[in-house]
Amino acid sequence: MKKLFDDEGRVFGKINLIDLIAVLLLLGIALRALLPVVYNRPGPVHDAVLLLEVSKVLPEMAGEIRLKQEVREQTSGAMLGVLSRKDLNPHEVEIADAEGGLTLAISSRYRDLRLTVTGRARVGKEGALEFDHFPVRAGQTLTINTATACFEALVLTTEWTD
């Protein structure tokens, strides 16, 4: 022990033991922070398409969305892409008939809005497509914003275009 520590508590007579522990602790924290960057290198960016469905929309609200508008995820602000196609379809509702069964009917007031968003994405964790570092999966519900509207949308599909 005498050779490892000198009379002043320095390791090998060069560095203070407290300083050595502090340096090793900081080095460990830095390595821990860098591990995800080293092991989860992002893949290449490709063109991708999102097919979104907004259910039960008033036709006037659907008219506010224009092609070529940027589409963003509301919470993170992530840029998902640009609106490349918009389809307005009748909204089907279930109505109880006289026998107590349910019958499908077309709503006279609401429509369903199907949006195609084209953007740039990479493969993220667990195979999800990441648009602007925001993972998107089929079946997920997103709150999306354009310059003129905000909607809750269901992700129907995510796919590569190139």
Side-chain angles (χ1 to χ4, degrees):
M1 273 315 238
K2 191 76 169 164
K3 293 180 182 177
L4 187 60
F5 297 102
D6 67 4
D7 294 335
E8 295 177 15
R10 293 181 296 193
V11 179
F12 301 117
K14 305 272 183 190
I15 188 168
N16 186 331
L17 181 61
I18 304 281
D19 293 341
L20 178 65
I21 291 171
V23 167
L24 290 175
L25 184 65
L26 288 175
L27 197 71
I29 291 170
L31 285 174
R32 176 71 174 116
L34 288 176
L35 278 177
V37 174
V38 172
Y39 286 109
N40 293 329
R41 289 189 178 150
V45 177
H46 297 281
D47 290 331
V49 172
L50 287 174
L51 184 59
L52 307 172
E53 183 168 85
V54 181
S55 185
K56 201 173 176 183
V57 178
L58 291 171
E60 299 81 22
M61 289 295 295
E64 292 295 317
I65 289 187
R66 306 263 186 266
L67 295 180
K68 299 185 180 176
Q69 284 184 333
E70 288 184 353
V71 178
R72 294 186 174 274
E73 194 278 330
Q74 182 180 20
T75 308
S76 67
M79 169 71 161
L80 300 177
V82 175
L83 185 63
S84 57
R85 184 174 175 169
K86 173 178 97 167
D87 297 312
L88 199 58
N89 302 313
H91 177 70
E92 292 182 347
V93 292
E94 292 180 337
I95 298 175
D97 57 20
E99 290 99 35
L102 295 176
T103 306
L104 284 178
I106 303 296
S107 171
S108 60
R109 184 170 184 190
Y110 296 108
R111 302 288 180 264
D112 290 337
L113 185 60
R114 197 164 276 194
L115 306 172
T116 303
V117 178
T118 306
R120 303 278 291 161
R122 67 179 79 227
V123 176
K125 292 179 183 175
E126 300 169 7
L129 294 187
E130 285 188 359
F131 292 82
D132 197 14
H133 303 289
F134 183 80
V136 178
R137 293 176 177 82
Q140 180 179 0
T141 302
L142 303 173
T143 302
I144 58 169
N145 289 336
T146 67
T148 56
C150 179
F151 294 107
E152 283 268 323
L154 173 67
V155 180
L156 298 177
T157 61
T158 60
E159 56 190 44
W160 300 114
T161 58
D162 58 11

